[in-house]
Amino acid sequence: MRELELIAELERTLAPGGADVLRGLGDDAALVRAGAYAVTSVDTMVDGIHFRRGQLEPEEIGHRALAGALSDLAAMAVRPGQAYMALGLPQDSELRDAVALAEGAQALASELGVAIAGGDVTRALSLTVSFTVVGWTDDPGELVGRDGAKPGDLVAVTGTLGGAGAGLALLDGRARAQGTLDARAALGLRERYARPRPRLAEGVALSSLGARAMIDLSDGLATDAQHLAMRSGVRIEVSLARLPLADGVAAVAEQLETDGATFGATAGEDYELCACLPPSAERLARRDGLALSWIGRVLAGPPEVAFTDAAEPLSGYEHSL
Amino acid sequence: MRELELIAELERTLAPGGADVLRGLGDDAALVRAGAYAVTSVDTMVDGIHFRRGQLEPEEIGHRALAGALSDLAAMAVRPGQAYMALGLPQDSELRDAVALAEGAQALASELGVAIAGGDVTRALSLTVSFTVVGWTDDPGELVGRDGAKPGDLVAVTGTLGGAGAGLALLDGRARAQGTLDARAALGLRERYARPRPRLAEGVALSSLGARAMIDLSDGLATDAQHLAMRSGVRIEVSLARLPLADGVAAVAEQLETDGATFGATAGEDYELCACLPPSAERLARRDGLALSWIGRVLAGPPEVAFTDAAEPLSGYEHSL
C-alpha cells in the first residue's frame, strides 16, 4: 500500500465537519475552537485482543473503536466535539480495508456530530485503532465522575446487558444460534458486539437526574461497578434478578454452562452506562420517559460489589404508585 | 503483570501537574481548563518499527515517544499543555519496565511543563506507545502551518541533522564507532536517537520571526520538505553543502557508503524544525541570537524539492555585513 495514497484517501474520507475545526488533517496538528473545559479520553483496540479481523467488517472495526472511546465521554455526561484517530496498519493491509475502517468511524461520527479532526497512520504488527476523543463543557459541575456515590443511592443501568458478549460467543463459535435462537435475535446479538452505541444522550440525561457517580460498561458490570465502589468508597449491592438481559442472552449463556444473569453481569463491551443516583431520580426518570433498569443500591461499608438474587423493590417508590 | 497494580503504579508515576488539570488519571476522562483554541496531534511508536526494545532503555522509549508527539506542536509554534498516553503492552512485559517507560515520559513532561493528564493501557502484540498532545492558543494567527511558503522565502533548519540516523546505525551495528569516532561523539549520536528534544522554544521563536510554513523533521528533510512544497505549492531548493551535520555523521555515513550531506538530508527522527521565512528573518534571527542554518530557498514552480551542491550565500544579507 502506498502511504501517500492512503493518506490522501483518508483525508477525503474524514472530511472535517463542523465550523469549530479550523485546521484538520494534513498539517502537523489540528486547530479547533475550544470550550471553557476539555474532557478527553483515549481508547485503543488491537486485533487479536479486542477484536478479530476475520470476525468483523472493516467498517465495524472503525465504528466500534470510535464508539468505545465516545462511551467514556458518555460516562462523564459530556457531548463529544472531536475525535483523533491513530491507526496502526500491518504490512499486509489493503488500502480499501483501511479506507473502509475510516468510513465506518466517519459514519458514526457524522451521525453523532463529531468531527474526526486529525490522526496518525503508522505501520504496526497488528491492526491497532486508537481514538482520542474530546468533549467541551462550560460547567464542570455537570460532569459525573466515578467518585461521588453515596450510601442510600440507587444503581441504574441503561439498555440491556450481555448482548455484546453473547454476540461474540456466536462469532467465536463457542455458542450456536441454530436451534436455540431465532434469526432476528442472533442478528441483534451480533450487532450489539459489532456496532455498539455510545449512550451519549443517556449520560447527559442521567447527569440532569442527579447522577453522582457513573461509568460505562466496557469490562462488564462486575468489574466496572467495582471501580465505582473503590473510587466512591462505598459498598454496592446488585440484584442479579433485576439485570436487563438482551434478547437471546439466556439461550447463549446456557450453552456456555452459565445462567443469563451471571453472564450479563460479567460479559463486557455492552457500553451501557451504570450510574448511582439519589432515590428521587427514579420518579424523575419515569416522568422524563428515560428507560432505566434499577438494579441495586449503595450502602456504607468496605468498597466492594456484592451480587444478590433478591428481586424485591429497591426503594419505597414502586409501591407507592 | 497484574493490571490493577500497574494502573496504581502509573497513577503514582504520572502525577498530574499543573493547576489546569481538574481531573487526571483514574476516571473515564480527564478534565482540563482550556484556552480559546486547541492544537492537537497524535503520534504513535511501535516496537519493531519505530524502535527496538533491545536497543533502548524503557525510560528512553517513553521519552522518545512523548518527544516525537510534542515535536508536532513545536512545528505549529504552540506551547504544549497536556499529553495523553495510550500504552499497549505485550504479555511478557515487566511491571517495572512499563513504569520506567512512564517515568521517562514524565521526566520530559515535567521538564517542559506538560501534564500527562490521562491515558489508556491495553494488551498488545508489540509494545506500542501513542501520545496525544494538546497545546492552547488564544491567537491562531501565531500558528504556523505547512501551507504558507512563498517564492522568495529562505529555508532554515534548527540544530543539526543526521545525528539520530547515525545513532541508530551504530545501535543496529550497521556502522561502528571504534576507530572512526571518539567516544563522546558516539555517545552524542546515540543520545540524539534515544532522547530527541522537541524544539518548542525554537518553534515559537521562528513564528515570531515571521515563519510562513514549518514542519518537524521526523521522516527526514527530503521527505518533510516535500510536504512543505506540496502544501504550499512551491519549489524548494536545498543546498546539500549548507546542511548542518551533527558531529560524527560524516564518519558514519562513510561506513554506509554515502556522504554526510546525503545522509543528513534523508535520515529521519532528528526532530529539528524546517521553516520557510521571508529573507528579513535572517537578520532578525542573528539579532535575537537564534542559531539557525540557512539551507535553501523557495521558488515559484511545480511543487518539488531539489537538492543542489551550491554553497554560495542564499541572500544578499551575508555580504552586506
Side-chain angles (χ1 to χ4, degrees), chain A residues 251-264:
Chain A
V252 169
E254 196 180 340
Q255 296 180 60
L256 301 172
E257 297 179 351
T258 184
D259 61 288
T262 303
F263 188 81

Side-chain angles (χ1 to χ4, degrees), chain B residues 145-159:
Chain B
R146 295 178 177 178
D147 53 0
K150 297 220 174 348
D153 283 355
L154 299 183
V155 181
V157 291
T158 60

Side-chain angles (χ1 to χ4, degrees), chain A residues 11 26-42 44 49 75 120 123 132 143 145-146 214 216 231, chain B residues 11 26-42 44 49 72 75 120 123 132 145-146 214 216 231:
Chain A
E11 285 183 23
D27 221 307
D28 290 298
L31 174 63
V32 161
R33 202 182 314 277
Y37 296 86
V39 185
T40 305
S41 186
V42 184
T44 305
I49 290 168
D120 175 46
R123 207 143 64 74
T132 302
L143 299 179
R146 295 178 176 179
M214 188 152 64
D216 66 312
R231 292 275 166 194
Chain B
E11 285 182 22
D27 221 307
D28 290 298
L31 173 64
V32 161
R33 202 182 314 275
Y37 296 87
V39 184
T40 305
S41 186
V42 184
T44 305
I49 290 168
D72 284 321
D120 176 46
R123 207 144 62 74
T132 301
R146 295 178 177 178
M214 187 152 66
D216 66 313
R231 293 274 164 193

Side-chain angles (χ1 to χ4, degrees), chain A residues 156-176:
Chain A
V157 292
T158 60
T160 58
L161 302 182
L168 178 59
L170 293 173
L171 281 171
D172 276 347
R174 287 179 285 122
R176 62 191 177 81

Side-chain angles (χ1 to χ4, degrees), chain A residues 3-4 7 11 22-23 25-50 71-73 75-76 84-87 89 118-120 122-126 128 130 132 134 136-137 140 143-147 214-216 219 227 231, chain B residues 3-4 7 11 22-23 25-50 71-73 75-76 84-87 89 118-120 122-126 128 130 132 134 136-137 140 143-147 214-216 219 227 231:
Chain A
E3 190 190 337
L4 289 181
I7 287 172
E11 285 183 23
L22 283 75
R23 277 176 188 269
L25 287 85
D27 221 307
D28 290 298
L31 174 63
V32 161
R33 202 182 314 277
Y37 296 86
V39 185
T40 305
S41 186
V42 184
D43 200 58
T44 305
M45 294 195 185
V46 180
D47 181 29
I49 290 168
H50 305 91
S71 182
D72 284 321
L73 295 190
M76 295 290 282
Y84 302 86
M85 178 173 76
L87 192 56
L89 297 174
D120 175 46
T122 61
R123 207 143 64 74
L125 298 190
S126 47
T128 305
S130 186
T132 302
V134 185
W136 305 100
T137 184
L143 299 179
V144 183
R146 295 178 176 179
D147 52 0
M214 188 152 64
I215 194 167
D216 66 312
D219 294 333
H227 290 303
R231 292 275 166 194
Chain B
E3 191 190 336
L4 289 181
I7 287 172
E11 285 182 22
L22 283 75
R23 276 177 188 270
L25 287 86
D27 221 307
D28 290 298
L31 173 64
V32 161
R33 202 182 314 275
Y37 296 87
V39 184
T40 305
S41 186
V42 184
D43 200 60
T44 305
M45 293 194 186
V46 180
D47 181 29
I49 290 168
H50 304 90
S71 181
D72 284 321
L73 296 188
M76 296 290 282
Y84 301 87
M85 177 174 77
L87 191 56
L89 296 175
D120 176 46
T122 61
R123 207 144 62 74
L125 298 189
S126 46
T128 306
S130 185
T132 301
V134 185
W136 304 99
T137 183
L143 299 180
V144 183
R146 295 178 177 178
D147 53 0
M214 187 152 66
I215 195 167
D216 66 313
D219 294 332
H227 291 304
R231 293 274 164 193

